[in-house]
Amino acid sequence: MGNHSMTKFDLLIETHQGLKRQGPGSPEMTLRALSFISHLDEHSRIADLGCGTGGQTMLLAQNTAGFITGVDLIPDFIDVFQDQVKELHLENRVTGMVGSAEDLPFEKDELDLIWSEGMIDGIGFEKGLTYWSRFLKKGGYVALTCPAWLTDEYPPAVKKFWEDAGSSLDAIGNHISIMQKIGYRLVAAFTLPDVCWTENYFLPRAEAEKNLLKKYAGNPIVSDYVKEDQYETDLYAKYHQSYGYVFYIGKKVS
Ligand SMILES: C[S@@+](CC[C@H](N)C(=O)[O-])C[C@H]1O[C@@H](n2cnc3c(N)ncnc32)[C@H](O)[C@@H]1O
């Protein structure tokens, strides 16, 4: 790739492709969320929307029976996903596909579980969940993380950052009301601990970006990109009491 044609989206892919996860999370929290979901068996159909390179998908596969389809917009992430499927010998029940979570290939009432970590806010919590629900059987579950306000203080710098990124934060109570309105019974909601952001995401990302700065030394697009990510890291360090990711687990009852 020529230095001049490089975009920030290219840099995002290059930085994140080699990371275990492409957003805040941890194996412990994925398994904790899964512990609230009991009905899965070898016939179950599971979708992991915005699966990235599949960090949480592979863990789900190792801890459930049934078939899992990971969906992500970015082909380079799905390439890494498919490599992991092969390495772990999961070809007979795990598939990654390039696609949009706003245009899914599933049948109505096909799925037993919809998983999604770190993605629904880009679509909008209500819009995304309303659309996804048609694919879920009655009695099926959703488990998703979404950024939310954790206190009633909404620092303007945080609000602006997320809005500029094409997302937004909402109060936990509003997220839960939306789930209930769409037809879910709330099974559990818990906040991801700081370590999911810091050690598990910001730290490996910063390491990857050190290499990027070396590789593209002197390129202003790269230094600007890294600065923006550093700003996000600093913002979280300053305001992490006010916002974070919340895992919501719901059962479709109507
Ligand atoms: C914050 S990352 C989270 C990745 C992974 N779930 C994790 O927790 O490590 C969000 C992912 O969602 C994908 N994504 C964003 N919008 C999407 C959409 N409309 N449809 C499918 N994937 C999407 C991105 O490409 C990215 O891989």
Side-chain angles (χ1 to χ4, degrees), residues 173-227:
N174 286 345
H175 283 151
I176 293 174
S177 293
I178 291 167
M179 283 177 80
Q180 292 172 333
K181 192 175 80 179
I182 296 173
Y184 289 89
R185 172 181 190 272
L186 180 72
V187 176
F190 59 89
T191 305
L192 296 192
D194 285 350
V195 69
C196 287
W197 293 73
T198 52
E199 275 173 48
N200 289 5
Y201 181 55
F202 290 148
L203 206 64
R205 185 176 74 177
E207 282 303 313
E209 289 177 352
K210 266 190 212 157
N211 295 331
L212 215 61
L213 287 170
K214 270 190 216 143
K215 182 172 167 190
Y216 300 108
N219 185 317
I221 300 171
V222 178
S223 51
D224 205 42
Y225 173 80
V226 173
K227 244 186 240 153

Side-chain angles (χ1 to χ4, degrees), residues 20-25 48-53 55-56 71-74 77 99-102 116-119 123 245:
K20 279 195 191 135
R21 299 285 300 255
Q22 288 70 47
D48 182 6
L49 307 179
C51 58
T53 61
Q56 72 294 319
V71 180
D72 202 282
L73 279 179
I74 299 183
F77 289 174
S100 168
E102 293 187 82
S116 183
E117 295 194 44
M119 197 273 284
I123 299 177
Y245 271 97

Side-chain angles (χ1 to χ4, degrees), residues 159-170:
K159 190 167 181 288
K160 181 173 181 338
F161 176 84
W162 284 81
E163 283 175 3
D164 288 350
S167 171
S168 67
L169 298 164
D170 203 349

